[in-house]
Amino acid sequence: MHNLSFFKNMLAVVVTVTCTLALNAEPVKVTLDDCIRIALSDNPSIIVADMEIQRVDYSKKETLGQLFPQVNFTANYSRTLAKQTMVMMDQSFKVGTDNQHSVGFSGSLPIIVPALWKSIKLSDNQILQHIEQARSSRLSLVNQVKNAYYALLLACDSKRVIEANHETALFTADMYKKQFEIGTATEYDMTRATVAATTLEPSILEAQNSIDALKLQLKVLMGMDAGVDIEPVETLDSYKSMMYENAMNVDTSLVNNTNIRQLDLQTDYLKQALKVQKMSWAPTLSGTINYMWNSMSNGSPFKNFNWNPYSQAGLALTWNLFSGGQRYYKQKQAEIAVREMKWQRENLARSLNSQVETQINNINSDIKQIESNAASVALAEKADRIMQESFKLGVGTFLQIQDTQNALLGARLSYYQAIYNLLVSQSDLELMLGNAPLNKYGVSEEIYKTK
């Protein structure tokens, strides 16, 4: 009993220490590149996509195995229940033995198999398709992580703006309280100032809830434990210097668009499948060889063995001359499928070009909006400084102060929202063009050069 109590106390201490360490643990500082690098390494969808490539590679090796000799071992035993009767010269007699044993090896080797040769090309194409799908998964994940990270930065910057406005409102309320105590301000102004400061507190809580939810979303994308706290080390302002450079150096070519590349690979697959259908008209030739031992005996099947070997080798030619038109109509279906893919690609390229043009227009509009909002923030800050000085001198009214503070709050929030909109637009355009620098995050792009 004493030992049991001791272990219980030790367990309680360990749990308490663990919980204390977890609560006091410093948040992990992460940049955008850190988040993307972790996600590309630990996200389950990426791991599954890579496993699919390996699975299809095994499937190709399975197809290649059909080109090698096939060797089988066989063993047979049969018991004669009723022997055959032969009649000769009005005399009948039984023939055969009670037991027949045979063991041996048989082998076959495909010599001419045109359809199988073409099927290997299909396996190569399937591997390329899964490689491109894995690349598509990585591009999509990079886009999701970027957008989630930008949303987190927007929430953090918005909270800081609201908190700064709240501090100013508290300062104003405190000033009115002091003025009211000495009789230079009305109770109405003091109450209004206090209410204005209190009204901002739910917005701060809402902003914090939004930050917590966005952190959780980002950790899910990164494949990170939800219990680990993270904190971005960047702000939206830190991206301002790079935004214009990224907007000026945009390559609008669709050569790396993953949808176009996958469609091209599917078209190539259908062309290879059409060749396989055409090869089904050709004959096939295979070689066979057998080496067997036979034994026939009467009485017990476990004795009186008399083994005699025999062997044979040969060629087997198979040429399907008529199958009710099945091969003909399969070939026609494959030809139509290839033509369909041509029209689908043309329509997809036209749609993507239109989307790229729209996205570029959005980016240019976002840049102008940022410039306009930055000017508005500068003017709002100047007006706020003037009003604060006027308030200290006893000139400004409460309504004037509240108007300038609300204008400054709205200008700053609109400024950060405009930066966020531009960053998301650039991220979406990067996904559309398929030119995210995966090698920057430790992913070799050599494997994705399918052509």
Side-chain angles (χ1 to χ4, degrees):
M1 291 297 292
H2 176 73
N3 291 337
L4 180 59
S5 176
F6 173 77
F7 284 120
K8 286 183 177 180
N9 292 334
M10 289 298 297
L11 180 61
V13 171
V14 171
V15 171
T16 302
V17 172
T18 303
C19 294
T20 303
L21 292 175
L23 291 174
N24 296 330
E26 290 292 329
V28 179
K29 306 285 186 178
V30 292
T31 64
L32 175 59
D33 289 344
D34 292 335
C35 294
I36 295 176
R37 194 173 292 108
I38 294 172
L40 291 176
S41 173
D42 298 341
N43 187 279
S45 63
I46 302 301
I47 297 174
V48 171
D50 289 340
M51 292 175 67
E52 276 296 298
I53 296 175
Q54 186 178 15
R55 183 187 65 81
V56 177
D57 183 55
Y58 288 147
S59 177
K60 176 189 175 182
K61 292 177 180 178
E62 177 189 359
T63 303
L64 286 172
Q66 300 179 44
L67 296 175
F68 290 88
Q70 308 295 315
V71 180
N72 298 305
F73 171 79
T74 60
N76 296 292
Y77 166 75
S78 62
R79 177 77 177 185
T80 303
L81 300 179
K83 297 181 181 179
Q84 290 183 343
T85 302
M86 295 188 65
V87 179
M88 184 178 297
M89 302 296 293
D90 295 332
Q91 293 183 356
S92 62
F93 52 93
K94 303 289 186 180
V95 296
T97 58
D98 295 333
N99 308 298
Q100 291 86 37
H101 300 81
S102 66
V103 294
F105 300 91
S106 62
S108 63
L109 175 66
I111 300 174
I112 300 176
V113 280
L116 179 58
W117 296 338
K118 293 297 180 182
S119 296
I120 297 175
K121 293 291 185 180
L122 288 179
S123 299
D124 290 336
N125 183 274
Q126 287 179 325
I127 293 176
L128 294 179
Q129 287 191 53
H130 279 80
I131 289 175
E132 184 57 34
Q133 289 172 10
R135 175 177 173 270
S136 176
S137 297
R138 283 178 164 83
L139 292 174
S140 178
L141 183 61
V142 169
N143 174 257
Q144 294 177 54
V145 171
K146 281 188 174 182
N147 291 350
Y149 189 83
Y150 295 149
L152 178 59
L153 294 185
L154 176 62
C156 292
D157 286 335
S158 298
K159 183 187 176 186
R160 281 191 285 269
V161 169
I162 298 173
E163 286 176 337
N165 190 268
H166 182 245
E167 290 178 2
T168 304
L170 288 175
F171 174 78
T172 304
D174 184 63
M175 290 294 293
Y176 270 111
K177 181 180 179 181
K178 292 179 179 178
Q179 291 178 3
F180 171 73
E181 290 174 350
I182 62 176
T184 58
T186 65
E187 184 178 2
Y188 172 77
D189 288 338
M190 182 190 70
T191 305
R192 285 287 303 272
T194 303
V195 171
T198 306
T199 304
L200 290 172
E201 293 177 359
S203 299
I204 296 175
L205 293 176
E206 184 179 350
Q208 184 59 51
N209 291 336
S210 178
I211 290 173
D212 293 339
L214 290 169
K215 282 184 178 180
L216 184 60
Q217 177 186 355
L218 186 58
K219 285 185 285 188
V220 170
L221 292 172
M222 295 165 62
M224 183 179 288
D225 192 332
V228 179
D229 190 19
I230 60 174
E231 182 178 338
V233 299
E234 299 159 312
T235 63
L236 290 176
D237 269 327
S238 61
Y239 286 91
K240 189 176 179 181
S241 60
M242 299 180 292
M243 291 184 301
Y244 302 103
E245 179 182 354
N246 294 337
M248 296 297 293
N249 300 325
V250 176
D251 180 10
T252 59
S253 171
L254 295 175
V255 65
N256 290 322
N257 177 268
T258 185
N259 293 325
I260 291 288
R261 291 176 60 156
Q262 289 188 55
L263 199 62
D264 288 341
L265 289 170
Q266 291 172 15
T267 302
D268 184 63
Y269 179 85
L270 290 175
K271 289 179 179 179
Q272 295 295 336
L274 177 59
K275 292 180 180 179
V276 172
Q277 289 296 329
K278 291 179 178 180
M279 290 298 100
S280 66
W281 295 88
T284 61
L285 180 66
S286 60
T288 60
I289 186 170
N290 296 293
Y291 197 92
M292 306 292 294
W293 289 268
N294 287 341
S295 175
M296 294 182 291
S297 63
N298 290 313
S300 173
F302 302 107
K303 59 182 180 179
N304 301 323
F305 294 110
N306 184 21
W307 296 104
N308 297 294
Y310 79 94
S311 60
Q312 59 182 194
L315 296 174
L317 176 67
T318 304
W319 194 354
N320 190 336
L321 299 178
F322 181 72
S323 58
Q326 296 180 43
R327 290 173 297 175
Y328 174 78
Y329 291 114
K330 284 184 179 180
Q331 181 175 325
K332 289 300 180 182
Q333 292 177 54
E335 291 173 352
I336 292 175
V338 171
R339 292 199 297 268
E340 287 176 348
M341 296 300 286
K342 175 185 176 183
W343 291 106
Q344 289 181 22
R345 189 189 191 284
E346 182 178 333
N347 183 60
L348 177 61
R350 187 184 297 113
S351 175
L352 287 172
N353 281 319
S354 175
Q355 294 177 37
V356 168
E357 188 67 27
T358 301
Q359 201 69 12
I360 290 177
N361 291 335
N362 291 338
I363 290 174
N364 293 331
S365 177
D366 291 335
I367 291 175
K368 294 178 181 178
Q369 189 66 44
I370 292 173
E371 294 173 348
S372 175
N373 289 344
S376 298
V377 169
L379 291 175
E381 289 175 344
K382 181 179 180 181
D384 183 66
R385 287 194 300 270
I386 294 173
M387 186 51 58
Q388 291 294 336
E389 292 298 326
S390 300
F391 176 71
K392 291 178 182 178
L393 296 175
V395 179
T397 66
F398 170 77
L399 292 178
Q400 290 175 325
I401 292 175
Q402 189 177 39
D403 286 342
T404 56
Q405 288 179 358
N406 289 339
L408 179 59
L409 174 65
R412 285 174 173 171
L413 292 177
S414 298
Y415 169 71
Y416 287 124
Q417 182 68 49
I419 295 178
Y420 167 77
N421 291 341
L422 175 59
L423 291 173
V424 170
S425 296
Q426 290 179 337
S427 176
D428 291 343
L429 178 61
E430 181 183 70
L431 173 64
M432 197 178 303
L433 298 176
N435 55 10
L438 296 178
N439 57 345
K440 176 182 177 182
Y441 310 114
V443 179
S444 175
E445 295 192 59
E446 290 297 323
I447 190 176
Y448 296 126
K449 295 179 180 179
T450 57
K451 291 189 179 181

